[in-house]
Amino acid sequence: MSSDATRWAILGPGMIARDFMVGLESGTHGVLHAVGSSDRARAAAFAAEYGAPHAGTYEEVLDRADVDAVYVATVHTTHTDVATRALRAGKAVLCEKPMAVTAGGTESVLAVAAEEARPFVEAYKYRFTPMFRALRDVIGGGEIGQVTGFTGSFGFPAPSRTGRLFDPAVAGGAIWDVGCYPVSFAVGVAAAGGAPLGTARVSDVSAQLTLGVDATADATLTLGDYTARVRTAIVAERSTAVEITGTDGSILLPDGWGGRATSTTHAEIRTGTGVRTLEVPSVNPMGAEAEAVSLALAAGRLEAPEMPWRESRVITALLEDWHEQARAAGTEL
């Protein structure tokens, strides 16, 4: 590890923070320096386990001048507040998805990042992988013609109907937790294909509700002539395949999301000349997120090219609209 490595703090030492640590340790640009939690004992235990020299409350960690960047791994509804406090404290921020549960919250955080001139990156992990970069190149290069369609889903059966996933007070439900993945992928594809992001809208929403949250939800997203069909669930398995269609061909990813430690390596590109396999290396995507923040910090950039702010804005707006329509249209499970 170089002497100028990014000194990271984790705020919210839960399960996903452990996955982040696996990624951070796989990289070359960052090291865990501090852990913050609303529970000091919890922060201290996590810090001891991973060798961080400092632990404390959120405020105590953010007050440290020797912390360069913060990974926000708290519950959805606190992301906006915690990220804002970190930016105000002069830290670069990698914020778990979704960065906010309202479009207004997203605008607020990005305004603070711009004012404080600190990098802010939303952590859609697959965006930082060789596969997504390759897809952008294929789409932008016109190999499948003008992009016209997308289908993607993310769903799993939760082991029990308890905890944050089924708690509306902390933005529980399928849309905010995993439905955000196909939406963010669809927006990235739209951007790569030159679709007008400002025209994005949500329609054809169906949903099933339980315990005050969306247990399943489907929707159509429209951006100009580009249409995306997205599906999600926290009570049932959904296919992990992603298909992108164009006027001259299509791209199929058997596994659109990969895992928290390994990224997707294969896709099929189908055109009038036949089928070719797109093969790329696997990386730890959570480590790649951290590396992107370190590189932005070193270069004096506020954004990471893998997850630009304009796309974060569109993603949150679509998710908020989908969530509101799902609550209005949903039937009880």
Side-chain angles (χ1 to χ4, degrees):
M1 191 67 64
S2 65
S3 59
D4 60 350
T6 303
R7 295 165 296 185
W8 282 90
I10 288 175
L11 300 185
M15 182 178 66
I16 200 164
R18 293 180 179 278
D19 293 318
F20 176 75
M21 277 308 306
V22 174
L24 187 62
E25 290 172 344
S26 75
T28 59
H29 291 93
V31 61
L32 182 64
H33 192 66
V35 181
S37 174
S38 56
D39 181 339
R40 271 198 187 92
R42 190 175 181 216
F46 193 99
E49 182 177 353
Y50 289 99
H54 306 288
T57 65
Y58 297 152
E59 292 78 9
E60 289 167 342
V61 168
L62 291 176
D63 281 346
R64 298 195 62 88
D66 55 358
V67 169
D68 305 310
V70 166
Y71 173 57
V72 177
T74 55
V75 295
H76 300 334
T77 47
T78 63
H79 287 177
T80 299
D81 176 62
V82 176
T84 297
R85 287 156 61 188
L87 291 164
R88 290 291 188 203
K91 317 305 181 189
V93 173
L94 174 64
C95 184
E96 258 310 323
K97 54 77 188 167
M99 62 174 286
V101 293
T102 66
T106 289
E107 290 297 338
S108 174
V109 171
L110 297 182
V112 172
E115 181 182 340
E116 298 293 337
R118 307 310 291 167
F120 176 89
V121 178
E122 189 173 17
Y124 282 106
K125 60 182 178 58
Y126 68 87
R127 286 292 197 102
F128 301 83
T129 65
M131 177 56 75
F132 204 79
R133 286 194 293 273
L135 291 176
R136 284 188 185 275
D137 289 343
V138 168
I139 293 166
E143 185 171 352
I144 63 168
Q146 181 64 41
V147 175
T148 57
F150 170 94
T151 58
S153 58
F154 198 151
F156 65 94
S160 67
R161 298 191 184 185
T162 58
R164 66 169 186 85
L165 280 177
F166 294 89
D167 185 354
V170 293
I175 291 172
W176 288 118
D177 197 67
V178 288
C180 56
Y181 274 98
V183 171
S184 60
F185 205 120
V187 170
V189 168
L197 298 188
T199 67
R201 63 183 179 86
V202 180
S203 62
D204 302 326
V205 173
S206 61
Q208 294 176 304
L209 310 177
T210 186
L211 300 174
V213 303
D214 48 288
T216 72
D218 298 3
T220 297
L221 316 178
T222 304
L223 297 88
D225 295 328
Y226 166 78
T227 301
R229 187 64 181 167
V230 294
R231 305 179 69 215
T232 189
I234 51 173
V235 293
E237 203 73 45
R238 293 285 184 264
S239 171
T240 61
V242 166
E243 186 169 17
I244 303 160
T245 55
T247 53
D248 297 328
S250 64
I251 305 170
L252 175 66
L253 287 82
D255 178 12
W257 317 119
R260 289 183 178 178
T262 57
S263 63
T264 296
T265 58
H266 292 80
E268 287 185 356
I269 302 174
R270 302 167 179 173
T271 64
T273 60
V275 179
R276 77 174 179 92
T277 299
L278 177 64
E279 188 169 357
V280 297
S282 178
V283 299
N284 182 301
M286 301 189 78
E289 294 172 338
E291 298 282 271
V293 174
S294 292
L295 293 174
L297 193 58
R301 291 185 280 104
L302 303 189
E303 304 179 50
E306 297 91 343
M307 195 63 238
W309 289 1
R310 71 177 187 129
E311 294 182 31
S312 285
R313 288 185 170 101
V314 174
I315 291 162
T316 308
L318 287 169
L319 289 169
E320 184 180 19
D321 192 2
W322 187 14
H323 183 255
E324 290 178 354
Q325 290 193 47
R327 288 181 62 84
T331 59
E332 284 297 320
L333 183 64

